[in-house]
Amino acid sequence: MNAARYDEFAAPPRTGLACVWTRAVPDAPYVQPVVPDGCVDLVWWSRGARIVVAGPDTRPSPTRMEAGDRLVGVRFLPGTAPPVLGVPADAVRDARVPLRELWGAEADRLGEAVARAHDPRAVLTEAVLGRAPAAPDPFVPALSAALESLTVAEAAEELGLSGRQLRRRSLAAFGYGPKTLQRVLRFQRALGLARAGRPLADVAHATGYSDQAHMAHEVRGLSGVPIRALL
């Protein structure tokens, strides 16, 4: 049995995209684990030439792949998808939504264009960038940066917002309230350091967990498995 192939490609800079990716499933079905990362993906699926909006997730979301499936995806950086999708991020939280529900017949035409294209990645990326705003919302990187070292209350004060305003804007941009956003971003920072080979006790300290046991509890709560299983 051949393993599914996943390839990731750099996105154009300063576009709000994290990457563009492809996945091919040769000859056997399997279940792909997906854990919260704060991102939203726009995914073209060869079965039916359909496009689906995925995420942002607050819990593990395993996805079944069938033999012969081909996928092309555009991954948005946290907080950057709503202007392109046309809906706030919390409208698609923990969901897999057909793009047709958001873009109407344009989504069907795009799915068919990707299916016919010699370079499907370029077609999907161009369609996304055609809807992207000229300038990103400065609130998005500001909140992400603030939550790395501040409490939610401190972040609100830093950004000049009330707690209620911060929650409303965070939900619309990221799909999460600020406390959940902080948990997910910290989880991803910890996972990145652990994958780079840092000892887990050091990872816990560097990312602001009270200790390694606290990190283990949080990782299992968000991913459903111990951190070593993710690694």
Side-chain angles (χ1 to χ4, degrees), residues 23-103:
R23 187 182 296 278
V25 185
D27 54 16
Y30 79 107
V31 176
Q32 172 64 38
V34 179
V35 298
D37 59 4
C39 298
V40 173
D41 287 60
L42 207 61
V43 184
W44 175 85
W45 210 303
S46 60
R47 265 186 286 152
R50 70 191 191 278
I51 300 176
V52 175
V53 179
D57 294 316
T58 61
R59 56 180 181 264
S61 180
T63 301
R64 181 175 175 81
M65 308 284 182
E66 300 294 344
D69 278 350
R70 291 181 298 117
L71 289 79
V72 179
V74 170
R75 180 166 299 140
F76 294 88
L77 290 167
T80 63
V84 175
L85 299 181
V87 296
D90 56 332
V92 294
R93 182 181 58 235
D94 290 321
R96 302 297 180 261
V97 179
L99 185 61
R100 194 181 200 288
E101 294 185 9
L102 308 181
W103 289 9

Side-chain angles (χ1 to χ4, degrees), residues 120-199:
R121 286 189 286 118
V123 171
L124 187 59
T125 303
E126 183 179 353
V128 167
L129 295 182
R131 283 176 164 256
D137 181 356
F139 168 77
V140 168
L143 179 58
S144 296
L147 290 176
E148 285 193 24
S149 58
L150 303 178
T151 67
V152 170
E154 290 168 341
E157 184 175 358
E158 174 87 6
L159 298 175
L161 300 171
S162 69
R164 182 172 295 181
Q165 289 171 326
L166 182 69
R167 177 172 174 77
R168 184 175 68 248
R169 294 191 62 178
S170 180
L171 283 169
F174 295 93
Y176 308 135
K179 189 158 291 195
T180 300
L181 174 63
Q182 188 174 52
R183 287 182 68 211
V184 170
L185 295 180
R186 181 169 58 179
F187 160 63
Q188 283 295 322
R189 289 197 304 274
L191 196 55
L193 290 177
R195 284 175 171 157
R198 292 275 292 273

Side-chain angles (χ1 to χ4, degrees), residues 2 6 15 49 58 62 88-89 112 115 121 123-124 134 141 153 158 199 202 206 227:
N2 295 325
Y6 174 82
T15 58
T58 61
E112 292 164 2
R121 286 189 286 118
V123 171
L124 187 59
E158 174 87 6
D202 290 354
I227 190 167

